[in-house]
Amino acid sequence: MTDQTRSPEFRLVAHVLDGLRQDLVQGAFTYRSFPPIRTDGPLARRFPQPLRQTVVWLPHLAVLGVAFVVWWLAATNYYGPAAIVSGVTGVVVLLSLITPVGAFWLSLCYTPFLSFATGETWGFPWPPVSLVAHVAVMVVAAARTRPRTGAWMWLITATYSVFVSLFLAQGVDGSVGVVLFVSALLLMLVALFHVRREAEQEVAAQQTVTAFERDRRTTLEERTTIARELHDVVAHHMSVVAIQAEAAPYRVENPPPELEAAFATIRENAVAALAELRRILGVVRAEDYEAPNAPQPVLADLDTLLTNVREAGLPVEKTVTGAVRPLPQGVELSAYRIVQEALSNALRHAPGSTAKVEVSYVLGGFGLRIVNTAPQRLVKPSPGAGHGITGMRERVAMLNGEMTADVTEDGGYEVAAFVPVPLAEQDSGPRSRPASPSGPAASPGSVSGTDSASHTGSVSGTDSASRTHPATGTGSDPAPGSGTPSGPDSSTPSGTKET
């Protein structure tokens, strides 16, 4: 007979008996030590830190206390050999710490032997010593296994109690009702504890998965935004290359054919690269996205940004160290966005604080440090997604830089980043602001509360839920041969402070 031909009732009974075998028969006497509870658990957290190392052994002390009560009952109710025989029941209680299911079977089998050995007739088959010990063993075993095991132990205890009372004592004694009622009540509490613990574990696991997916989605969105911005930067330079390659032959009188062919090839490659850029960008750009018509912001626009931040209620000052020089446009754009996001976080999470922006031009790189003081007013819950730091890290990682973010000692917050910039790229950095190809105009200094990556110059961006502390990467070594400031921020002398 196979499972397909068996009746549903037969399969149900087979499933129930298989569960009984797994819970109470298979590996019943396997050694399973009772580990201490966690120091960060809900019980241990209620005690001071010095007592937590002792509190972790509280369940073991409770079992030891029950065993002591059993020994006390044996000593006060029996004398001589009977007291020794009944005292063994306390050892069975202690065995529940190392083999809970085995201790249940020992307690159940030892109960009739104890009654006959001591000649106990009152409360048969559950004299006080056996009653306390057996209920304690069932509770410990159910707490260490699962609620279904506790249900099986209660049913077996009920069956045993009724059978012994009817066939050996000629009637059901009142101790049977006490055992079944008290054990059922305690086992229900243990089952509720199991259900709550499993629910908390599921919620914690779901929160972990949700946080991971949210971080991953935020990272992908930020990379898409970076791709859009880089398209505007690269497209501008490729357009310049194509136009200059087309106009170059007309600037030379009677140019050789080889030169004309070379410039024609350069122009064709530049146009092909532009077409490829637009095709790739169409994959990552949303249908409702419109590219900004205004130029992409650079470090020269920081003064406008800081002015808007001050008007929004955050006092901020800027300090520039090193010789100001032009940097690659992608570096300047990312630096601007990082400052923008950090100041946006300060506005949201540190009301009443002050902020400082440090820009450092060092040999072989570029450093940023944005720090704000502790909030002076009540911090209101922010509706942001809490992942602005993720976007900043993506930008720094794209430039092979390093970034850290963490709470300062005085309760403020610090964001620091360092981006390596080879001298060759510094020399070929942008001397002027390029225009973006298409889209609606965007003011480079507007203050908004939306995504900082899609609003040129706005103080915005999603907020960060987690922050970690960095190496600033700042310094004061000027690039060789740059005795005077130059580049986009040439109006600010090196080493000066603006408030």
Side-chain angles (χ1 to χ4, degrees):
M1 180 180 294
T2 63
D3 291 340
Q4 302 297 332
T5 58
R6 292 171 179 171
S7 64
E9 293 80 6
F10 181 87
R11 291 198 298 268
L12 177 61
V13 173
H15 178 72
V16 171
L17 294 178
D18 184 64
L20 174 63
R21 178 183 62 83
Q22 293 179 2
D23 292 340
L24 294 181
V25 178
Q26 188 175 7
F29 290 90
T30 304
Y31 176 80
R32 296 174 57 189
S33 62
F34 192 7
I37 62 177
R38 297 183 294 117
T39 56
D40 59 344
L43 178 61
R45 286 200 304 264
R46 300 179 181 271
F47 292 85
Q49 185 65 35
L51 296 178
R52 291 185 181 180
Q53 296 300 327
T54 304
V55 173
V56 296
W57 300 102
L58 192 59
H60 303 74
L61 296 177
V63 175
L64 182 60
V66 174
F68 178 79
V69 170
V70 171
W71 290 328
W72 179 78
L73 291 174
T76 56
N77 289 277
Y78 306 103
Y79 302 95
I84 298 176
V85 171
S86 59
V88 175
T89 311
V91 179
V92 176
V93 175
L94 294 179
L95 287 176
S96 63
L97 294 175
I98 58 177
T99 172
V101 178
F104 165 76
W105 288 115
L106 289 176
S107 176
L108 191 66
C109 296
Y110 193 73
T111 297
F113 174 77
L114 175 63
S115 299
F116 287 113
T118 59
E120 182 68 66
T121 57
W122 179 83
F124 184 83
W126 296 107
V129 174
S130 297
L131 189 151
V132 174
H134 191 70
V135 170
V137 168
M138 282 199 297
V139 171
V140 174
R144 297 193 56 195
T145 53
R146 54 182 174 176
R148 191 178 73 176
T149 304
W152 279 122
M153 290 188 296
W154 189 88
L155 288 175
I156 292 176
T157 300
T159 304
Y160 163 78
S161 301
V162 173
F163 176 82
V164 171
S165 298
L166 291 178
F167 291 95
L168 298 181
Q170 306 300 322
V172 178
D173 191 85
S175 63
V176 174
V178 174
V179 169
L180 296 182
F181 175 76
V182 174
S183 61
L185 181 62
L186 294 178
L187 290 176
M188 287 179 60
L189 295 177
V190 172
L192 291 176
F193 169 77
H194 277 288
V195 171
R196 178 180 178 181
R197 184 177 61 180
E198 292 176 358
E200 290 177 348
Q201 292 175 350
E202 291 179 0
V203 170
Q206 187 63 35
Q207 289 177 344
T208 302
V209 172
T210 302
F212 175 78
E213 292 297 332
R214 186 167 55 245
D215 287 340
R216 185 171 179 269
R217 184 176 64 252
T218 304
T219 299
L220 293 176
E221 291 175 354
E222 188 64 29
R223 289 180 179 178
T224 302
T225 302
I226 294 172
R228 295 167 183 166
E229 294 178 346
L230 287 182
H231 164 266
D232 298 337
V233 174
V234 177
H236 165 74
H237 292 290
M238 295 302 295
S239 300
V240 173
V241 170
I243 293 172
Q244 291 181 348
E246 184 176 9
Y250 298 99
R251 297 183 180 181
V252 180
E253 185 177 357
N254 298 323
E258 295 82 0
L259 183 61
E260 291 184 352
F263 280 119
T265 302
I266 294 174
R267 183 183 180 280
E268 291 175 359
N269 289 333
V271 173
L274 280 172
E276 189 69 15
L277 276 173
R278 294 190 181 95
R279 184 186 66 81
I280 296 176
L281 188 67
V283 177
V284 298
R285 175 170 287 169
E287 295 181 358
D288 57 349
Y289 175 79
E290 294 182 356
N293 193 26
Q296 293 287 1
V298 292
L299 290 175
D301 298 314
L302 278 183
D303 292 336
T304 304
L305 175 65
L306 299 184
T307 300
N308 289 335
V309 172
R310 295 186 190 105
E311 293 175 354
L314 177 65
V316 58
E317 62 180 21
K318 182 182 77 171
T319 302
V320 180
T321 59
V324 179
R325 58 185 179 274
L327 300 173
Q329 189 171 355
V331 175
E332 296 214 0
L333 174 61
S334 296
Y336 181 92
R337 296 299 190 198
I338 291 172
V339 175
Q340 184 182 47
E341 180 63 35
L343 294 178
S344 175
N345 289 341
L347 281 170
R348 291 177 177 175
H349 300 290
S353 65
T354 60
K356 181 189 297 183
V357 177
E358 297 179 2
V359 182
S360 302
Y361 293 86
V362 299
L363 183 62
F366 173 78
L368 273 179
R369 181 174 179 266
I370 306 97
V371 59
N372 61 268
T373 58
Q376 304 299 318
R377 299 194 300 269
L378 179 64
V379 180
K380 298 181 180 179
S382 174
H387 292 281
I389 296 294
T390 302
M392 288 191 275
R393 293 189 188 281
E394 282 295 313
R395 292 182 178 275
V396 175
M398 177 191 67
L399 300 171
N400 297 323
E402 297 180 357
M403 174 189 151
T404 54
D406 200 3
V407 180
T408 59
E409 295 180 357
D410 61 354
Y413 202 78
E414 179 188 55
V415 175
F418 177 77
V419 177
V421 181
L423 293 178
E425 295 186 14
Q426 295 177 15
D427 295 337
S428 60
R431 299 288 175 175
S432 61
R433 295 167 48 105
S436 183
S438 62
S443 172
S446 59
V447 178
S448 68
T450 55
D451 185 6
S452 63
S454 61
H455 290 73
T456 306
S458 60
V459 175
S460 63
T462 53
D463 186 31
S464 165
S466 63
R467 302 176 164 187
T468 45
H469 193 103
T472 62
T474 59
S476 58
D477 296 334
S482 56
T484 58
S486 62
D489 200 14
S490 59
S491 61
T492 303
S494 66
T496 61
K497 177 186 290 187
E498 298 182 3
T499 59

